[in-house]
Amino acid sequence: MLFAIHVTSAPYHGQGCQTALEFCKASLAQGHQIKRVFFSGDAVYVGTNLAVPPQDENNLYEQWQ
């Protein structure tokens, strides 16, 4: 199956961004394809190199890349 993912949640505001990442990983592990991932709203902050993740959290910036 071919997926397009739309992420709208900020990196460390709730579980939305982490859940989308885990969905992508699980989909790829099962042999599916991800055509594109679209970040909108506060989710665009996943792509910045200027952000510093909280020390007690996973580095979502690095994991998405």
Side-chain angles (χ1 to χ4, degrees):
M1 187 170 279
L2 186 62
F3 289 103
I5 310 295
H6 182 200
V7 183
T8 59
S9 177
Y12 295 101
H13 190 268
Q15 288 292 105
C17 193
Q18 180 70 40
T19 302
L21 177 64
E22 296 303 323
F23 176 82
C24 290
K25 288 180 181 180
S27 296
L28 292 172
Q30 292 182 7
H32 300 292
Q33 296 178 13
I34 297 176
K35 177 81 172 174
R36 67 180 47 98
V37 178
F38 181 72
F39 297 95
S40 67
D42 287 339
V44 298
Y45 294 115
V46 170
T48 183
N49 290 336
L50 303 175
V52 178
Q55 291 180 355
D56 62 339
E57 297 284 340
N58 293 330
N59 190 340
L60 289 175
Y61 308 110
E62 195 174 85
Q63 290 181 7
W64 271 107
Q65 291 180 19

